[in-house]
Amino acid sequence: LEKIPDRLVLLAENDSFAGKAEVLLNGQSVPPFTRKRVYDPWNIVSEITAFCQVGENNLTITWTEAGEFDGLNSMLYLLADES
């Protein structure tokens, strides 16, 4: 990031994470995802502004317990949120 906006969220779809996933940003657990309609009524967001830094940021997703069909099912998005 060249500049950190006032509010930055990690946006996903309700079924993006199959199984028990742990999401870390720069080594810290991101806050729990909550439902917020962005482009779909089932979108989920996590407020990550406090975890971001100018320059390179590292997003890590691990599954502490993973079944055969667990994993990441759809893209995650970084969104500067005005509301």
Side-chain angles (χ1 to χ4, degrees), residues 2-81:
E2 292 180 11
K3 177 184 165 190
I4 299 174
D6 291 337
R7 185 163 188 253
L8 202 57
V9 298
L10 190 59
L11 168 68
E13 296 175 357
N14 188 53
D15 63 350
S16 290
F17 305 101
K20 187 175 180 179
E22 179 181 29
V23 182
L24 303 174
L25 180 59
N26 298 323
Q28 300 179 60
S29 293
V30 301
F33 283 85
T34 58
R35 189 176 338 162
K36 178 182 179 185
R37 182 186 179 98
V38 177
Y39 61 85
D40 183 281
W42 297 100
N43 289 134
I44 54 175
V45 296
S46 176
E47 166 67 58
I48 59 168
T49 310
F51 302 95
C52 292
Q53 58 195 22
V54 173
E56 185 174 317
N57 290 270
N58 186 21
L59 181 68
T60 306
I61 306 169
T62 56
W63 278 260
T64 55
E65 299 171 17
E68 182 177 356
F69 299 104
D70 290 346
L72 189 62
N73 291 326
S74 60
M75 299 291 293
L76 304 180
Y77 304 94
L78 192 57
L79 179 69
D81 192 7

